[in-house]
Amino acid sequence: MKQLQEFISILTGSFNNREQWESMKETNPDFPFAEHVNTACNHKITGLPEDFAGVFMVEESYFTAKGNTHAAHHFFLFTEEENGVLLTSYEIPEGYDKSSFTYANLTEVSYSSLKRSERFTPALYTKKDGVWEGGSTSMFSPVLKFSLFERFSPECLEVTETMEVQGKQTFGYGVPILYKRV
């Protein structure tokens, strides 16, 4: 449980990539200003098993490029495993969509109603030299591949995401997004 507590303490809070964005906005106008707000939310989930050792988290992500802001919110469960910490993606609970699902909007939800995402391959994070790193590759459809690689430390959350359709990259920035705590 100690590994999970350390991991969650690094991951929860408010983060943005302002420093990186400022250095790149002139040479790469498509590179987004990005924000993450990660909030643990077990206290909003009713009916958790008595011995439940995981941490559910609402991840609110906002990406602004060329004057347009896109919200992409997610619901994750983190559990401590023998080899590290496992991220399992869950479907957004009934009654919410990708933009209305925020920690502030989340009311009590029943544990028994939660559904694991079938499309996302869980990601295992292991600690190497004081930095947590891991990721996964998921096939969202027979032709759509999503790749995730992340490195987390108290100084920075480093996130690399790409999407490919039939082997051609359709999303990704060529460099990781570097989030710092705000």
Side-chain angles (χ1 to χ4, degrees):
M1 208 43 192
K2 187 176 178 182
Q3 283 191 98
L4 181 60
Q5 290 170 342
E6 176 190 329
F7 186 89
I8 294 298
S9 73
I10 290 171
L11 198 55
T12 54
S14 296
F15 306 85
N16 70 40
N17 73 331
R18 180 169 304 283
E19 186 178 308
Q20 180 188 35
W21 178 74
E22 289 286 346
S23 72
M24 294 181 72
K25 68 182 180 182
E26 298 301 321
T27 58
N28 187 353
D30 291 334
F31 194 79
F33 173 70
E35 300 171 274
H36 268 334
V37 179
N38 298 324
T39 312
C41 62
N42 281 22
H43 61 284
K44 291 191 176 192
I45 301 172
T46 61
L48 283 173
E50 221 173 279
D51 59 349
F52 189 78
V55 176
F56 279 99
M57 182 178 293
V58 175
E59 178 191 86
E60 300 171 49
S61 298
Y62 304 92
F63 301 91
T64 303
K66 296 181 179 177
N68 296 315
T69 299
H70 169 72
H73 305 320
H74 302 283
F75 189 43
F76 297 125
L77 171 64
F78 295 91
T79 53
E80 187 166 326
E81 305 296 321
E82 184 177 325
N83 299 327
V85 174
L86 187 70
L87 175 160
T88 304
S89 183
Y90 273 70
E91 299 295 336
I92 291 174
E94 289 284 324
Y96 302 93
D97 60 30
K98 288 236 181 227
S99 59
S100 69
F101 181 66
T102 64
Y103 175 78
N105 289 345
L106 181 63
T107 58
E108 284 190 345
V109 60
S110 169
Y111 175 72
S112 64
S113 71
L114 300 179
K115 296 178 180 92
R116 186 176 163 253
S117 171
E118 297 299 324
R119 298 182 333 150
F120 182 84
T121 301
L124 182 66
Y125 297 83
T126 56
K127 192 173 182 184
K128 297 176 186 170
D129 299 323
V131 177
W132 289 92
E133 62 179 45
S136 69
T137 300
S138 304
M139 292 303 296
F140 285 177
S141 77
V143 297
L144 179 59
K145 179 168 95 174
F146 173 73
S147 298
L148 170 71
F149 180 76
E150 300 177 301
R151 300 181 79 233
F152 302 144
S153 71
E155 293 77 36
C156 184
L157 308 181
E158 183 178 315
V159 179
T160 304
E161 298 173 306
T162 60
M163 289 199 151
E164 296 176 16
V165 174
Q166 296 179 331
K168 182 179 179 189
Q169 185 171 319
T170 59
F171 173 79
Y173 301 106
V175 297
I177 295 179
L178 305 176
Y179 295 92
K180 303 238 174 135
R181 191 175 297 276
V182 292

